[in-house]
Amino acid sequence: MVLASGGQDGAICLWDVLTGSRVSHVYGHRGDVTSLVCTASCIISSGLDDVICIWDRSTGIKLYSIQQEVGCGASLGVISESLLVTGGQGCVSFWDLNFGDLLQTVYLSQSGDGQGVRQLLVLDNAAIVCDFGSELSLVYVPSVLEKLD
């Protein structure tokens, strides 16, 4: 059982929950780590530097980074072991966690006012609630995002 934490110095630490000891310590961001989410195989971190880093959970090695638009690095969620959703300026984007590829972007308004998604929540039914502007938006995950081998 491992717990992940992020710091103002850009560090991500993994902790053994049973002993309280630090398992690993890596640097991935220039400045504050603003969000962390985990899957069974990776840790995803975002920071004030608008970069999302994907880390191998067992080794602590950074697999790749995704550069986000300015001010969009804080809102992210995991839909499945291989699907990441991030908030953007007036949109949410879906990413393949295995390769870092952008799969699809869904725009939340027609006006193009560019307000950022401040926070998002992934629901069990594969819907996403987005704190967008002065309202909450509900986005259903498109079934076309499911990959078949």
Side-chain angles (χ1 to χ4, degrees):
M1 293 184 24
V2 177
L3 174 76
S5 67
Q8 292 178 324
D9 60 353
I12 294 104
C13 295
L14 295 182
W15 304 88
D16 183 313
V17 175
L18 299 177
T19 65
S21 61
R22 187 172 67 192
V23 176
S24 71
H25 183 235
V26 293
Y27 287 93
H29 298 278
R30 297 178 314 273
D32 297 9
V33 175
T34 56
S35 186
L36 288 168
V37 293
C38 298
T39 70
S41 61
C42 66
I43 298 168
I44 301 109
S45 63
S46 64
L48 288 181
D49 56 1
D50 299 310
V51 173
I52 294 174
C53 298
I54 289 69
W55 307 85
D56 182 278
R57 189 171 178 158
S58 61
T59 65
I61 295 172
K62 183 166 49 171
L63 301 173
Y64 57 88
S65 299
I66 299 170
Q67 182 65 50
Q68 296 289 281
E69 297 175 25
V70 174
C72 294
S75 54
L76 53 90
V78 174
I79 296 171
S80 70
E81 185 66 26
S82 62
L83 189 59
L84 173 72
V85 61
T86 62
Q89 296 294 337
C91 64
V92 290
S93 297
F94 298 92
W95 303 86
D96 181 329
L97 275 174
N98 296 319
F99 302 103
D101 295 332
L102 176 62
L103 299 172
Q104 186 170 353
T105 299
V106 175
Y107 292 92
L108 301 174
S109 74
Q110 302 292 337
S111 66
D113 57 8
Q115 292 185 47
V117 173
R118 291 186 298 265
Q119 190 172 4
L120 55 84
L121 174 66
V122 177
L123 304 176
D124 287 339
N125 64 350
I128 301 157
V129 178
C130 304
D131 179 359
F132 172 69
S134 61
E135 59 189 53
L136 294 176
S137 294
L138 185 63
V139 177
Y140 290 98
V141 178
S143 61
V144 295
L145 292 177
E146 296 176 8
K147 286 188 157 184
L148 299 175
D149 290 329

